[in-house]
Amino acid sequence: MTSEEREREAAALARMDERTAAYRAAEESLEQAREALREEIVRNLSERNAAPGKIAAHSPYDRNHIRRIGVQAGVPPLRDKTVRSNKTSN
């Protein structure tokens, strides 16, 4: 390998390192934004500010995912279950 080839390789790898660092910073920023959004969703569900469908209309998630976030956070549903099973446990 000539010195010119080594210089080109070193420059290429340095650029790759810069791009990789920028990518990792963007990933971290995305994760922070995602966590902040999740906290806001849980707050709104807990305070009953809006129904999951309305929250979903103002977020990148559908209402089913909004509900899953609420369940994971321990937020009780807006209404109790109205259907009971006819099965009896032995």
Side-chain angles (χ1 to χ4, degrees):
M1 187 180 254
T2 67
S3 64
E4 183 180 309
E5 290 172 332
R6 275 180 279 201
E7 288 174 12
R8 278 196 344 236
E9 180 184 58
L13 293 176
R15 287 191 307 271
M16 285 297 300
D17 290 341
E18 289 174 13
R19 299 300 186 257
T20 299
Y23 180 86
R24 289 192 176 131
E27 275 185 322
E28 185 176 322
S29 176
L30 174 62
E31 191 56 39
Q32 291 171 352
R34 188 177 287 144
E35 182 58 28
L37 179 58
R38 190 187 85 66
E39 289 172 3
E40 185 64 21
I41 289 168
V42 169
R43 185 177 73 77
N44 283 310
L45 289 173
S46 296
E47 294 176 0
R48 308 282 194 221
N49 293 331
K54 290 195 177 191
I55 293 171
H58 295 271
S59 77
Y61 305 128
D62 65 13
R63 70 178 175 80
N64 292 320
H65 190 67
I66 298 294
R67 186 182 68 65
R68 281 192 296 270
I69 290 171
V71 167
Q72 288 173 351
V75 177
L78 286 173
R79 59 184 187 179
D80 292 330
K81 292 181 180 180
T82 57
V83 178
R84 294 181 189 215
S85 174
N86 286 332
K87 295 180 183 180
T88 58
S89 59
N90 295 330

